Amino acid sequence: MQEGNGDKTKKSGLVESVRQTGLLCKRDRVIAGVSGGADSVCLFLVLKELSEEIGFSLAALHVEHGIRGEDSREDAAFVENLCKKTDTPFLLKEVDVPEAKTTHISIEETARNLRRQAFVEAAAYFFAGEDVKIALAHNAEDQAETVLLHLVRGTGVKGLGGMEEAAPLAPGVGIIRPLLAVERAEIEAYLEEKKQPYRTDATNDEDAYTRNYIRHHILPELKRLNQQAIKHIGQTSAAMRQVESERRQKADELSQEVILDGKLNRIYAASAPPEMQSRLIRAWIWKQNGTVRNITSKHIAAVRALLTAPNGTKSDIPGAYRARADGDWLIWEKKDGRNAPKGKG
């Protein structure tokens, strides 16, 4: 009897922790991404419980990637059956990751892009014309893995912040991660209390993927050194996200003064601290280019050098454009020297 009470406390604690994130509000329209694994099944059940208490609409999406054959199809059937049992609207999106993959993009990145597209399509399918939240089941271990991946590859404040609890995906569609502070042990305890089965992806056991290696070897060693390691990494990443948010806000305010008519005032920008210079340059590129995809720290450093370079000095930007020093300004132009179309700023 005492053991049962302990399990109940764990269960209610998990549900309450998701409630306390503030990510879910009355009259929200939420789509849970459900793979069939432990994390996503847990998230789905918690959202189902809270949808009735808080008063938001809930639907479920399963993306079948076309990678794991019969196992993958069984995952889809499992999720569909779970939704039928709980009377939850369900959508299956089938994508072909191997077919969509190109030589320039990894299979993981291809799958991620196709999932994002599926999320946007699901939002229109379930709640056309309404704002939608896509709920993903990333947990505390996932966050720790992400931070460590960024750290070993080289990163700044933004990378140390890991994944955000809430982030925009497309107009009217945002992503939320209600389990980001919840550790896997608590998720498994919740499912055990519910006597709820889930699917296991065998590829998660393979060390060929860097993330899996960190999961199987690095995190256990860190927890051996300190049982609170995952929690502490999560707390640090939350602090870094706050710092990033404050710096982003400051850069946004400053960019209104130094980016005029598509040009960046390089004299004003050069007087800012180096970290702020990089942010202003990234904001300028985004306003002109509509994206900062494929813009690396090397590209930012090359443009930063133009802030104090002689007139006429140029630096190429990935794609068809380049930056050029011209008097007090950096000019955005095509690589053939013609004037570029005015950007978003």
Side-chain angles (χ1 to χ4, degrees):
M1 188 69 179
Q2 290 179 344
E3 182 178 350
N5 289 338
D7 287 345
K8 185 175 181 180
T9 300
K10 288 183 179 179
K11 179 194 71 170
S12 61
L14 190 153
V15 174
E16 186 60 25
S17 69
V18 170
R19 188 202 307 272
Q20 290 299 321
T21 64
L23 296 171
L24 299 158
C25 303
K26 188 175 183 179
R27 290 187 290 275
D28 274 348
R29 295 157 185 85
V30 180
I31 301 174
V34 188
S35 68
D39 300 337
S40 67
V41 170
C42 172
L43 175 63
F44 173 76
L45 295 179
V46 170
L47 291 178
K48 190 66 179 177
E49 181 175 338
L50 290 177
S51 68
E52 298 169 0
E53 296 180 14
I54 296 175
F56 57 84
S57 301
L58 178 66
L61 168 69
H62 178 83
V63 181
E64 205 280 281
H65 294 86
I67 297 177
R68 294 168 43 245
E70 185 60 28
D71 282 347
S72 186
R73 288 186 286 273
E74 289 177 0
D75 290 348
F78 172 86
V79 175
E80 183 174 12
N81 187 52
L82 178 62
C83 290
K84 286 180 180 178
K85 288 181 177 179
T86 56
D87 194 27
T88 305
F90 168 78
L91 177 64
L92 169 65
K93 294 292 291 185
E94 295 178 312
V95 299
D96 193 333
V97 173
E99 178 67 23
K101 184 186 179 306
T102 68
T103 56
H104 303 293
I105 304 178
S106 70
I107 196 165
E108 296 91 343
E109 181 69 14
T110 302
R112 190 177 301 114
N113 291 339
L114 291 175
R115 281 198 301 273
R116 288 171 178 166
Q117 180 180 334
F119 295 155
V120 174
E121 292 172 356
Y125 175 83
F126 285 118
F127 306 110
E130 305 288 349
D131 289 346
V132 177
K133 294 178 178 179
I134 308 294
L136 303 181
H138 297 113
N139 63 31
E141 275 85 351
D142 295 324
Q143 181 71 301
E145 292 160 14
T146 298
V147 171
L148 291 173
L149 273 171
H150 289 168
L151 186 61
V152 298
R153 290 171 176 171
T155 191
V157 170
K158 188 175 188 300
L160 291 175
M163 294 177 283
E164 296 184 85
E165 278 193 318
L169 177 64
V173 184
I175 286 175
I176 60 173
R177 297 182 171 93
L179 298 181
L180 203 55
V182 179
E183 293 191 32
R184 181 63 183 260
E186 191 172 0
I187 289 171
E188 292 177 346
Y190 176 86
L191 293 173
E192 184 177 355
E193 160 68 21
K194 288 281 189 178
K195 294 182 171 54
Q196 173 62 54
Y198 53 87
R199 299 282 296 173
T200 301
D201 183 347
T203 62
N204 289 334
D205 295 329
E206 300 172 2
D207 284 348
Y209 298 106
T210 305
R211 182 179 287 276
N212 284 358
Y213 185 87
I214 291 176
R215 179 179 305 157
H216 299 150
H217 302 284
I218 306 301
L219 288 184
E221 286 300 308
L222 292 178
K223 291 179 73 173
R224 185 178 66 81
L225 293 173
N226 187 331
Q227 284 295 313
Q228 300 297 312
I230 304 299
K231 178 181 179 180
H232 292 164
I233 292 173
Q235 291 171 337
T236 299
S237 68
M240 291 299 98
R241 289 197 300 276
Q242 180 61 36
V243 171
E244 171 65 17
S245 176
E246 293 169 357
R247 290 184 175 181
R248 186 189 304 130
Q249 182 177 351
K250 178 63 176 177
D252 288 344
E253 294 170 355
L254 191 56
S255 69
Q256 303 302 315
E257 302 178 30
V258 302
I259 301 175
L260 301 172
D261 196 27
K263 301 181 293 184
L264 175 66
N265 188 315
R266 63 178 184 141
I267 305 302
Y268 198 153
S271 67
E275 195 273 341
M276 185 58 69
Q277 292 177 12
S278 297
R279 288 178 180 273
L280 291 172
I281 289 168
R282 189 171 289 274
W284 178 58
I285 292 175
W286 182 83
K287 287 185 177 184
Q288 296 306 113
N289 207 28
T291 180
V292 289
R293 187 175 180 82
N294 299 325
I295 304 298
T296 68
S297 58
K298 290 183 179 180
H299 298 123
I300 299 298
V303 177
R304 273 186 58 202
L306 296 182
L307 298 179
T308 55
N311 280 346
T313 307
K314 307 177 184 70
S315 179
D316 286 351
I317 305 295
Y321 300 104
R322 69 187 179 194
R324 174 171 57 86
D326 184 8
D328 290 351
W329 302 92
L330 291 187
I331 307 297
W332 183 267
E333 65 181 16
K334 290 187 175 181
K335 289 179 181 176
D336 61 11
R338 293 182 294 173
N339 290 336
K342 287 187 178 180
K344 299 174 67 175

